[in-house]
Amino acid sequence: QAGRQYESHLERFVTIGQRDSPLTDGLERALQSMCKGQAAMVRVAPEYAYGDEGFEGIGGKVAAGQNVEHRVTLLDFKAAGKGGLKSMSFDEQIAFAKGIKEVGNTLFATRKPTHLRRAICRYEAVDKILAVPDHRADAASTNAAQDTRSSALGNIAACHVSLKNWHLILSPASQVLKMQPHNVKALYRRALAFLELGRVHEAERDVKALIAADPADKSVQVLNQRLNKMLKEIDKESPFKNIFK
């Protein structure tokens, strides 16, 4: 109910990034930017709290679609590993990132909006961990890191497709294509986002590349039909259509 406390803890140990985290996605994100000893009021919108599912806490219920407020103090924290990421070797960082990605994959598989947003948070963590390559690493480790990072970025785009966050698909899909120019999944997701955003000529470029890669793909054919229909509509509305007649 609005304005009612639904849960309270004097002290609680939590692990950021777990699949079944007791925290809302919004609170997890806030904690990652807090300092030891810092107190904060974290206001979380429904889509980053309990979404359309709601929640039943120790002291009450949170109805579906409600905002949530957390009053929280970060008493202490312990970084991943013995000394955090900086103490890990490059291969250990890759293995750690893969573990986080697997948590994201499990969340993504449910297709629930609240879980998709949690999955995005995990995939974004993978991207941050592996964003800076280790130039001392051998080719096998470098390729493993790039594959893991590009997979995480691709999954971010896939989550946003499911959530219909069209404008948020473009950046992760484009980053994948910088690393893997022929990644058809990233190309398809970006083309779809361009179409949904009305950026038809940019979509046309990507659709042409998709057709060149696999002209028999039915999903690409459907996308191409949508594109041609939109191009015809633009042509009809153009003031220069009959200028040379």
Side-chain angles (χ1 to χ4, degrees), residues 126-140:
V126 174
D127 177 39
K128 289 177 182 177
I129 292 168
L130 300 178
V132 180
D134 187 336
H135 297 293
R136 298 166 299 177
D138 59 25

Side-chain angles (χ1 to χ4, degrees), residues 12-26:
R12 192 178 195 184
F13 180 83
V14 294
T15 301
I16 300 293
Q18 289 182 316
R19 182 212 181 283
D20 297 318
S21 173
L23 308 179
T24 64
D25 188 29

Side-chain angles (χ1 to χ4, degrees), residues 5-245:
Q5 179 175 296
Y6 69 93
E7 201 163 84
S8 177
H9 302 273
L10 288 176
E11 187 172 317
R12 192 178 195 184
F13 180 83
V14 294
T15 301
I16 300 293
Q18 289 182 316
R19 182 212 181 283
D20 297 318
S21 173
L23 308 179
T24 64
D25 188 29
L27 180 56
E28 275 206 5
R29 290 169 181 259
L31 286 171
Q32 292 178 65
S33 63
M34 290 175 65
C35 303
K36 181 179 176 180
Q38 182 179 355
M41 167 74 81
V42 182
R43 294 183 174 88
V44 184
E47 59 267 29
Y48 293 99
Y50 301 109
D52 297 328
E53 300 169 36
F55 177 77
E56 186 167 354
I58 297 170
K61 294 181 178 179
V62 179
Q66 274 201 338
N67 296 316
V68 172
E69 289 185 351
H70 301 285
R71 292 181 177 89
V72 59
T73 302
L74 182 60
L75 300 176
D76 202 355
F77 67 91
K78 181 180 179 182
K82 292 181 179 179
L85 283 171
K86 290 182 180 178
S87 69
M88 293 183 184
S89 69
F90 191 50
D91 286 336
E92 288 173 337
Q93 289 181 22
I94 295 168
F96 182 63
K98 284 182 176 179
I100 296 173
K101 187 170 80 71
E102 286 305 314
V103 174
N105 291 348
T106 304
L107 290 163
F108 177 74
T110 70
R111 293 297 196 274
K112 293 180 179 180
T114 51
H115 286 182
L116 289 171
R117 293 184 184 95
R118 283 179 177 269
I120 290 169
C121 188
R122 276 61 177 178
Y123 295 139
E124 287 175 343
V126 174
D127 177 39
K128 289 177 182 177
I129 292 168
L130 300 178
V132 180
D134 187 336
H135 297 293
R136 298 166 299 177
D138 59 25
S141 295
T142 300
N143 290 337
Q146 181 172 292
D147 288 345
T148 303
R149 183 179 175 227
S150 63
S151 177
L153 287 165
N155 289 347
I156 291 172
C159 288
H160 285 308
V161 169
S162 295
L163 294 167
K164 300 188 188 312
N165 293 333
W166 306 116
H167 63 294
L168 296 177
I169 295 166
L170 301 179
S171 176
S174 295
Q175 288 183 72
V176 172
L177 290 166
K178 282 183 180 178
M179 292 184 280
Q180 300 173 346
H182 302 295
N183 188 308
V184 292
K185 288 184 178 179
L187 201 58
Y188 177 87
R189 290 165 185 151
R190 191 173 72 175
L192 176 62
F194 278 140
L195 276 181
E196 293 290 346
L197 293 168
R199 295 167 63 172
V200 180
H201 294 295
E202 288 162 295
E204 184 179 18
R205 176 195 62 203
D206 284 351
V207 171
K208 284 181 177 178
L210 285 165
I211 292 170
D214 187 358
D217 188 292
K218 290 184 178 179
S219 60
V220 173
Q221 291 173 359
V222 171
L223 204 63
N224 191 40
Q225 288 171 1
R226 283 188 61 191
L227 171 67
N228 289 332
K229 185 177 180 181
M230 293 176 77
L231 287 170
K232 286 178 182 177
E233 290 299 319
I234 291 172
D235 189 50
K236 285 180 184 178
E237 296 170 5
S238 173
F240 304 107
K241 181 183 178 183
N242 299 316
I243 195 168
F244 296 113
K245 287 189 177 180

